[in-house]
Amino acid sequence: MSTLKLTGHPKDLGGGFVVRRLLPAMQRQSVGPFLFFDHFGPVTVRPEVNHDVRPHPHIGLATVTYLFEGAIMHRDSLGSVQRIEPGAINWMTAGRGIVHSERKPDDLRDQTYVNHGIQLWAALPHEYEDVAPDFTHTPAADIPLLQVGTAQVRVLIGEAYGKTSPVHTFSKTIYLDVQLQAGSTLALPALAPELAVYPVDGDVLINGEPLAALTLGVLPSGAPAQLSASAPVRLMVLGGDALDGRRLIWWNFVASRKERIVQASQDWAAQKMGQVAGETEFIPAPQLKLNAG
């Protein structure tokens, strides 16, 4: 079987902040637990530009934020206040409900800088969909870094090449940041039943088959792969165990039951899902329309 190639599409999140959305796709709802994949930037952020994401709710998922460049200030209804910077993994378990904002740090409001990163959503297994919300920041220094031949590998989440990330997950999850040198090759084992490769800034070959930059290549189930590049390239590897059933996705909510999303919508409208300290803005939810992928 050949690699499934997902090219994604542009998505305006408001205020001219456009991301490339790779998941969910018509051909594929998820890869492992990941059912939402937004690649943003590199974008130059100038003082007059406001890409702040106002307080909004989530249920049934975990957000995973990873930066290549820039900075984001995270605040949530648990009281967490965390500056997100390159190389760190920021895992926010929404579970039964959380509210958070993502804003420009105050010290950068008068600065021009570049933001570049990826945000994923991991669907929580059925038994953990309503778990207590939580936020965990794992600094870059705590992420395992190793050399595999001529490739540099950071094990952001999960286990690979004999190293294990300290990030806690609710199911088998893989997330790697790989840098290949020109002319180098990396043997990628079948680290999980479902895996995908995403070249961030250059083309790669998967088993000799070209995969263009900014394309999510979903590998055949359970199959190892040979990754190679003729020029230096950074790529992400992501996946894990298959989801335990399809999920309903509506706005910022993910659930296996329609009733749970309806309840969350009502709770948000009644402002019963918590509040981010110091934040007063409220984003009304759109008209309820469910999407199963």
Side-chain angles (χ1 to χ4, degrees):
M1 293 178 63
S2 61
T3 300
L4 172 65
K5 299 175 182 177
L6 305 177
T7 56
H9 62 277
K11 176 72 174 179
D12 192 333
L13 300 185
F17 182 35
V18 179
V19 302
R20 176 182 291 268
R21 182 158 296 171
L22 284 303
L23 290 174
M26 289 292 294
Q27 307 97 311
R28 185 99 184 195
Q29 184 187 52
S30 59
V31 178
F34 299 116
L35 45 57
F36 182 94
F37 184 131
D38 272 2
H39 179 193
F40 54 92
V43 58
T44 300
V45 183
R46 296 182 171 83
E48 67 273 15
V49 174
N50 182 8
H51 288 162
D52 284 359
V53 180
R54 296 172 293 166
H56 59 283
H58 291 288
I59 64 163
L61 58 88
T63 63
V64 185
T65 307
Y66 186 67
L67 292 182
F68 304 120
E69 296 180 81
I72 297 171
M73 186 59 71
H74 165 96
R75 294 182 176 87
D76 63 42
S77 52
L78 301 176
S80 311
V81 179
Q82 178 63 55
R83 185 187 181 98
I84 297 175
E85 294 186 317
I89 279 289
N90 298 272
W91 178 287
M92 185 185 75
T93 301
R96 59 177 174 254
I98 197 169
V99 181
H100 76 131
S101 65
E102 298 158 294
R103 297 186 181 273
K104 181 187 294 188
D106 288 341
D107 63 301
L108 295 179
R109 295 239 168 238
D110 296 326
Q111 306 294 319
T112 296
Y113 62 101
V114 173
N115 251 358
H116 185 201
I118 292 174
Q119 186 170 90
L120 306 172
W121 291 358
L124 299 177
H126 287 155
E127 64 265 36
Y128 296 110
E129 283 187 302
D130 286 322
V131 73
D134 184 52
F135 176 81
T136 303
H137 170 80
T138 304
D142 291 348
I143 300 293
L145 170 66
L146 66 152
Q147 200 73 22
V148 183
T150 56
Q152 178 181 284
V153 180
R154 302 187 75 232
V155 184
L156 307 179
I157 300 175
E159 183 177 355
Y161 303 103
K163 298 290 185 180
T164 302
S165 166
V167 176
H168 170 74
T169 63
F170 293 88
S171 62
K172 185 176 183 62
T173 306
I174 299 292
Y175 196 26
L176 311 179
D177 181 352
V178 178
Q179 297 194 48
L180 295 179
Q181 301 304 313
S184 66
T185 298
L186 175 67
L188 180 65
L191 299 171
E194 297 186 356
L195 280 181
V197 175
Y198 182 72
V200 176
D201 55 8
D203 302 343
V204 299
L205 295 176
I206 300 180
N207 299 326
E209 179 184 354
L211 180 68
L214 309 180
T215 302
L216 187 65
V218 183
L219 304 179
S221 179
Q226 287 287 120
L227 309 180
S228 57
S230 58
V233 63
R234 184 176 209 159
L235 58 90
M236 311 303 288
V237 177
L238 63 149
D241 285 340
L243 279 182
D244 50 353
R246 288 180 68 81
R247 294 297 192 273
L248 298 168
I249 305 171
W250 175 76
W251 194 38
N252 301 309
F253 301 153
V254 171
S256 54
R257 296 180 298 110
K258 176 181 177 181
E259 294 78 14
R260 183 67 189 91
I261 289 182
V262 171
Q263 182 62 57
S265 174
Q266 294 170 348
D267 289 346
W268 177 244
Q271 300 189 45
K272 293 180 178 179
M273 292 187 68
Q275 189 169 7
V276 179
E279 302 265 17
T280 58
E281 294 178 281
F282 176 77
I283 303 175
Q287 183 178 357
L288 183 60
K289 179 180 179 181
L290 295 177
N291 172 25

